[in-house]
Amino acid sequence: MAKVAFIGLGVMGYPMAGYLASRGSHEVTVYNRTRAKADKWVTDHGGKAAATPREAAEGCDFVFACVGNDDDLRAVTTGPDGAFHGLKAGAVFIDHTTASAEVARELGAAAAARGCHFIDAPVSGGQAGAEKGILTVMCGGEPDVFERAKPVIECFAKFVGLMGPVGAGQLTKMVNQICIAGVVQGLAEAIHFAKQAGLDVPNVISAIRGGAAQSWQMENRWETMAAGKFEFGFAVDWMRKDLGIVLGTAKSTGARLPLTALVDQFYGDVQAMGGNRWDTSSLIARLDGVKKD
């Protein structure tokens, strides 16, 4: 049992913090920008709510965060009343935000200057994975610090792996998003083509799902994609944020990502259609001409 804090109780953070309390039996303090959500979490799970990230972090062995972007992350760590100002020596800050590798390295250095440790630990598995406690967690940090943190992270994860030094977790998450972007676009075009060709889509999927065309996206999203239903997870706005990080990193490293850049533009088309909060499978909407109600 450890004393932990969790900063950011969105659709991911709320259940993740819950598993720290229920599966881990840890003493959990939460902070959320909207205090009412933190108070609700305490009602649901026990523990306590803090008024600031700094207050949440004070005296904790591990401090978790899951916020929106680089700027949000800086605000809750090194900003006024940020968590880093309350960290005790030797504490470990574990960041589950999908952010840039640059900000991870920046905060890793800032934590070290305070005698603390930092792990960048973006997740994959979406809202459903967070709610079921079966996330995949890709970590960047020092091996000994990772081994200390791993049992605590496992409260809400099915896989926790060390990818390399600080920043490597974020880079691995970028690889994940590149793969997803290409697969979703391919599946969208395939289903659209089958419809236009007059094929029975369920029959087609039954024929190909056991072969090389099979994917997680096919298994979990083909039916809702064919029906034009896009309310099942990770939103287009979030994906564009992630792909922006990917493409910015690719530019700085010299990596060439023509397909990813194209799919990012396609998600821009979906946003223009009003699908900002649709899930990522909504790439098919721009092909089928679906419009937001």
Side-chain angles (χ1 to χ4, degrees), residues 1-254:
M1 179 177 172
K3 187 174 181 181
V4 306
F6 205 104
I7 297 167
L9 300 175
V11 296
M12 302 292 289
Y14 197 100
M16 291 163 75
Y19 280 113
L20 287 170
S22 61
R23 283 184 184 167
S25 298
H26 297 299
E27 181 183 341
V28 183
T29 299
V30 295
Y31 167 81
N32 193 67
R33 186 166 50 187
T34 303
R35 178 61 185 254
K37 184 171 284 189
D39 290 338
K40 182 179 185 303
W41 188 94
V42 171
T43 299
D44 291 343
H45 300 285
K48 61 182 181 180
T52 65
R54 177 175 187 160
E55 180 183 316
E58 288 175 349
C60 287
D61 305 298
F62 301 94
V63 180
F64 294 81
C66 189
V67 294
N69 54 39
D70 286 19
D71 289 340
D72 294 331
L73 185 55
R74 289 187 178 98
V76 300
T77 53
T78 57
D81 282 325
F84 279 21
H85 302 299
L87 290 176
K88 68 179 183 180
V92 183
F93 190 96
I94 304 160
D95 175 41
H96 295 301
T97 308
T98 296
S100 69
E102 288 78 15
V103 78
R105 296 180 188 119
E106 171 191 321
L107 295 180
R114 290 170 167 79
C116 303
H117 308 284
F118 181 89
I119 296 175
D120 56 301
V123 303
S124 179
Q127 183 177 346
E131 291 173 349
K132 295 176 182 178
I134 54 171
L135 292 168
T136 291
V137 187
M138 302 152 270
C139 299
E142 295 299 319
D144 58 332
V145 178
F146 170 76
E147 291 301 328
R148 282 175 56 197
K150 183 179 179 182
V152 187
I153 301 172
E154 286 177 331
C155 290
F156 46 75
K158 66 177 180 180
F159 173 85
V160 184
L162 181 63
M163 303 295 107
V166 171
Q170 295 296 352
L171 292 171
T172 303
K173 178 61 181 287
M174 294 177 208
V175 173
N176 185 78
Q177 301 307 75
I178 292 167
C179 291
I180 290 172
V183 170
V184 176
Q185 178 61 21
L187 182 59
E189 292 185 14
I191 294 172
H192 173 72
F193 176 86
K195 287 180 177 180
Q196 294 298 109
L199 293 172
D200 182 297
V201 175
N203 195 37
V204 170
I205 297 297
S206 295
I208 68 173
R209 71 193 310 172
Q214 190 274 343
S215 67
W216 185 96
Q217 297 292 335
M218 179 179 288
E219 291 301 310
N220 292 275
R221 292 288 181 266
W222 80 263
E223 194 167 4
T224 53
M225 290 173 74
K229 297 178 180 178
F230 311 120
E231 300 174 358
F232 301 94
F234 196 65
V236 168
D237 280 351
W238 300 340
M239 186 60 158
R240 286 217 80 194
K241 182 210 78 171
D242 289 2
L243 293 181
I245 294 170
V246 168
L247 294 170
T249 303
K251 184 176 181 180
S252 67
T253 61

